Amino acid sequence: MANQLIKPPNNFTKSLKNLYFIASNLQSMTTSKRVQDRSQKKRVHALEVAVEKHKIASKILFLLELLKHEPEQIIPIRSLDQHRRPLNLPKPHKISDFIRKSPKLFELYKDQKGITWVGLTKKGEELIEEEERLIAENEEKAVEHVTRLLMMSVEKTLPLDKIAHFRRDLGLPYDFRKHWVHKYPEIFRVFKNEDEIEFLKLVSWNPNWCITEVEKKVLGITKADDYTPGVLSLPFPMKFPPDYKKVYRYKGQIENFQKREYFSPYADAKELKAGSVEFDKRAIAVMHEVLSFMNEKRLVTDHLTHFRREFVMPQKLMRILLKHFGIFYVSERGKRFSVFLTEAYEGSELIEKCPLVVWKEKVVSLTGYRGRKKKIETFDDFDDLEDDDLFESDSDDEKTIRIDQEDDMMSSDVEDDLIPECSEMDISEVQKAYTEK
C-alpha cells in the first residue's frame, strides 16, 4: 500500500486558507508597523505642536457648527453624548467640563425641568457671522481651487462626497453641495451616475489655472492663455528640520531627484506606468499641488489616499510622503496621519495666513481648553532610513494601480461636514497589536 495516496484531513484546506490569511495579515501589519516606526523617528517638534493646535480647534469648530445649524442655536447637553466621537471626548470625560472651558464662546443654563442646555454667547454668534462673510469673500479662490482639482483628475470628474472632505480646508460653505456647486455652470456641473452618486464634472478648461504652484514660485509665471501642461524639471522647495545633520549624506540623491523630469499634475497621465520613477514623481507633484490649495497647507492623509484613482497616484502613498520628508512632513499623532507642506511653515506657524486661518486662530484664542498634556518626542536623525532607496520609486514596480475597495465606499448618507475628523485612518488597533506583544 506504499503507493496509496494519503488523504489529507477534512480541515486541511480550511487550515491552509487560514494560514494564508494569517500570513497576509502579518505582512500587512509589518508594513503598518514600519510606517509607524519611521514616522516616529522623524518627529519635528514645531509641526507636532501645530497638529495639537489643530486638534483643539477641530473640537471647538465642530461644536460651533453644530449649534449654528440648530433651529434656536441651542441644544440639550445630553444630546451631545452622541457626538463624543467627533468631539474626541470619550467617557469618562464630561462634555460639560469641556464646554465650561470656553465661556467666551458657549454658555450653559438649565430650564424649568432641570435640563441643561448649551448655546452660543454673543461673541460666538458674531464669530459665526464673521466666518460666513469670510467664506463669501473667499469664493473666487475656492472656485479656482475646486476647478484645478477637477483639471488634475484623470477623467476631469470627482465625486462630490470626496470633495466634501476638503470643505473646510478649501473654505467652501457648509451647504456647498446644495447651492454653491450650481452657481458656476460655465465652469463645472453636477451629474449623477447610474447609482445616483453625485459627481462634479469640469465644463471648461482654463489654461491659466494649469500653471503649477512650483512654476509660479520658480519661474514667476502667473498667466499664460496658450499654456499647455507637459513635462517639468523644476525643483520642489525643500525644508529640513534645523537639527537634521545628515542632509549631506543624501545630497547627491536629492540633487538627482530634483533634476529628474516629471509630468505636470495637469498633463495627461493615463499612459504612465505604475511603479516607474516618473509615475511616483508625478504623484509628488500632485500632492504638492493639492496641499498648496489648502488654507493651512496640511491635510489628513486619508483625504489624499481617497483620490488615488482620480489623480492616478500610487497605492503606497504613505511611503512616498514619509520618504520625501524635505517636501512633506507626516505626523501620526492621534488617530490619523496628517501631512504638511514643509515650505509653508516656519516653526509651528504658517508663513502666509489667509483670513479664514486668522479667524480660526481667533476662535482658539477665546477658549481655555488646551487638550491633554502630551509629551512630544524629540527629533531623531533618521537612523532607520535606507540609503539605497532614498528618493527612488516606492511603488514596488506595480503594473496596475490598485485601489482599495473600502476607499470607494467611504461615501455616507451622513453630512460630511459632521463626520468626525477622528473617525478616519484609525490606527489605534495597529498600535495595540504591537504594544501588547
Side-chain angles (χ1 to χ4, degrees), residues 141-201:
K141 183 60 68 175
V143 170
E144 176 187 338
H145 289 159
V146 169
T147 305
R148 291 172 74 178
L149 289 174
L150 291 169
M151 291 167 67
M152 282 193 291
S153 65
V154 66
E155 300 294 343
K156 314 308 174 202
T157 301
L158 293 173
L160 272 181
D161 279 339
K162 290 188 178 182
I163 295 175
H165 290 308
F166 295 155
R167 204 256 315 169
R168 268 200 179 278
D169 299 296
L170 289 171
L172 298 175
Y174 179 84
D175 61 348
F176 85 99
R177 279 182 280 197
K178 295 179 181 177
H179 305 291
W180 188 88
V181 292
H182 301 288
K183 291 175 65 175
Y184 304 94
E186 72 283 2
I187 302 176
F188 42 65
R189 65 179 179 86
V190 178
F191 75 94
K192 291 184 180 181
N193 66 1
E194 59 275 10
D195 297 320
E196 293 296 303
I197 297 174
E198 287 189 316
F199 288 80
L200 194 64
K201 185 175 182 63

Side-chain angles (χ1 to χ4, degrees), residues 344-362:
Y345 280 80
E346 191 63 51
S348 63
E349 298 293 325
L350 263 174
I351 297 172
E352 296 181 10
K353 299 178 182 179
C354 71
L356 282 167
V357 172
V358 175
W359 174 86
K360 180 179 177 181
E361 291 180 345
K362 185 195 297 186

Side-chain angles (χ1 to χ4, degrees), residues 211-228:
I211 301 171
T212 65
E213 296 302 308
V214 174
E215 288 175 278
K216 292 177 183 178
K217 182 168 288 189
V218 177
L219 302 178
I221 303 173
T222 56
K223 282 190 175 184
D225 293 334
D226 58 347
Y227 183 85
T228 302

Side-chain angles (χ1 to χ4, degrees), residues 102-115:
S102 302
K104 295 180 180 180
L105 299 175
F106 311 111
E107 55 186 5
L108 294 169
Y109 57 91
K110 288 186 178 182
D111 61 15
Q112 295 178 346
K113 297 180 180 179
I115 298 174

Side-chain angles (χ1 to χ4, degrees), residues 329-387:
Y329 174 70
V330 176
S331 169
E332 88 294 344
R333 296 183 70 79
K335 293 188 176 183
R336 296 179 311 169
F337 295 111
S338 297
V339 57
F340 291 80
L341 196 59
T342 57
E343 70 192 73
Y345 280 80
E346 191 63 51
S348 63
E349 298 293 325
L350 263 174
I351 297 172
E352 296 181 10
K353 299 178 182 179
C354 71
L356 282 167
V357 172
V358 175
W359 174 86
K360 180 179 177 181
E361 291 180 345
K362 185 195 297 186
V363 171
V364 174
S365 71
L366 293 173
T367 178
Y369 179 76
R370 290 294 178 265
R372 289 169 287 176
K373 287 187 177 181
K374 297 178 182 178
K375 180 182 178 183
I376 299 177
E377 300 294 337
T378 55
F379 177 79
D380 192 309
D381 212 8
F382 301 95
D383 290 330
D384 60 329
L385 286 178
E386 300 89 342
D387 295 354

